[in-house]
Amino acid sequence: MTTTADETQPLLRPIKDGEDNVTPNPNLPENWSLLYRWSIVALLAFLAFTVTFTCLGPMPVASQIVRDLQNGQDNKRSTVLFVTIWELGEAAGPLFTAPLSEMYGRYKVYNCSNALFIIGIAMTAWSQSVGMLVFARFVTGCAVAGNVLNPAIVGDLFSSESRGSAMSIIMLAPLLGGAIGPVIAGKIAETSGWRPIMWMALALAVACEIGFLTLFRETYKVVILKQSKETAGPLEDDEVTRKRGSVFWTSIMRPAVVLYSSFILQILSLYSGFAFAFFYIMSTTLPDILREKYNMTPVQVGSSFLSFSVGSCIGIVLCNTLLDRVYKKLRKPGDSHSAPENRLPLVIVGAFVLPFVIAFYGWAAELVLPLPLMLLAVVLLGFSIILPIVPLMAYVVDAFGLYSASSLTAVLISRCLMGTFLPLATAPLTDAIGYGWGFTVLAACCAVLAPIPLLIYRFGGLWRQHSVYTKDE
């Protein structure tokens, strides 16, 4: 692949030393009050809650929704696809969301994505067939911008030493949505059907967009400086200005270019995608396990998802407590900044714990262990999935800097593709050899990938120098 200036530089011309230090610019995030910056974090957290509520709320009653649209006929493949197609949408959307945010800024892209998100929810509520339902869920997934932009915005707002707490809060909000959504969905489905669940999600989405239109401001430094015209010289090259169409497609391809350039990003994407897919594997297998083996009602099934949220909350609290502390503690004397690899110790712990928890979950279901043990497996699964995810995202933001949105897109696309298709393969596997041995096979695959974070921690500083996007300045 031929390397061009557009592929190795920001779409908008990079800021040179001293260019933004003439006078303090009140539009730059570092000059905003701490209270306002944290209010933006709260707004992002509210939207993350809404997205997770919309995504997870219908999961415990997914089979009921499909049965309603297919005149009482069950279709397990359609049920799984209804749940996982959201992730396929999340894989497609960031291809546009992340690079466009680096080209036009976070504000415009986020508001456009929110509008599409609202349309997708309305389509879901009005669906009259499984085909339209699946398409509507795909559209809604495409419109989710927060997975890519939230970590990038946190990177815009805070220095690397103080990002951990903000990142943890934004990760905690979806857990609340994941805990509350299924419980409410199960209760509503028993009394009023499934469509009111989507109308509730629509109301939350509209409230979020009102908040974004009134409170949110542009956070991307390059775009802010371009708008304020306070840098010496134009922020865009003349050639870029003349060829906006070419720049657009260059920006769309940037996640692929960054992924192609970085071996670290490739193996992190593989590990992150495989590990996070177990959330959707749990989401599609747990309702059947609880209904068929434990004879639980929809409300009880929905309430069981609280177990996963409890485990995830424990993981978030641990990350919030230790992530920045470990990062600062491991900084070498004399260095102004800690190395990005110092974000990874918690990822390493989670990577080696996860395979054992996966096997425990499968055998708890296979042997029909007492319900508290089954739910304990779900708690541990939530903990061991979330523990590596938060510091991994923080690592990508630190390592890729200005290209954090595009690099996060590459990670998330891999995660979404795994989350879409691995659960479809899990059902035939467990049908053939049972939950116990089926999840043991999956645990073995996870164990093979577990050393990846450890290798990056040991050799990442050297490997990063081989990519123009992560090379130390």
Side-chain angles (χ1 to χ4, degrees), residues 32 52 60 73 83 114 116 156 227 283 305 310 366 405 465 469:
W32 299 347
T52 311
Q73 297 180 353
V83 172
N114 288 347
L116 183 60
D156 296 338
Q227 293 171 345
S283 299
F305 277 73
V310 169
E366 179 71 24
Q465 308 314 308
Y469 297 100

Side-chain angles (χ1 to χ4, degrees), residues 30-81:
E30 61 261 32
N31 296 322
W32 299 347
S33 70
L34 187 62
L35 177 62
Y36 179 69
R37 281 184 280 166
W38 276 103
S39 70
I40 291 181
V41 172
L43 183 61
L44 298 177
F46 179 41
L47 181 60
F49 169 89
T50 301
V51 168
T52 311
F53 180 93
T54 306
C55 176
L56 302 187
M59 283 187 180
V61 294
S63 58
Q64 179 180 334
I65 294 172
V66 172
R67 193 182 308 116
D68 179 55
L69 295 176
Q70 289 194 327
N71 300 318
Q73 297 180 353
D74 288 318
N75 189 320
K76 192 170 185 178
R77 183 174 294 275
S78 295
T79 300
V80 173
L81 190 60

Side-chain angles (χ1 to χ4, degrees), residues 391-413:
L392 189 149
M393 302 299 261
Y395 171 80
V396 172
V397 171
D398 287 354
F400 288 84
L402 189 63
Y403 303 96
S404 59
S406 289
S407 56
L408 286 169
T409 299
V411 173
L412 291 169
I413 288 174

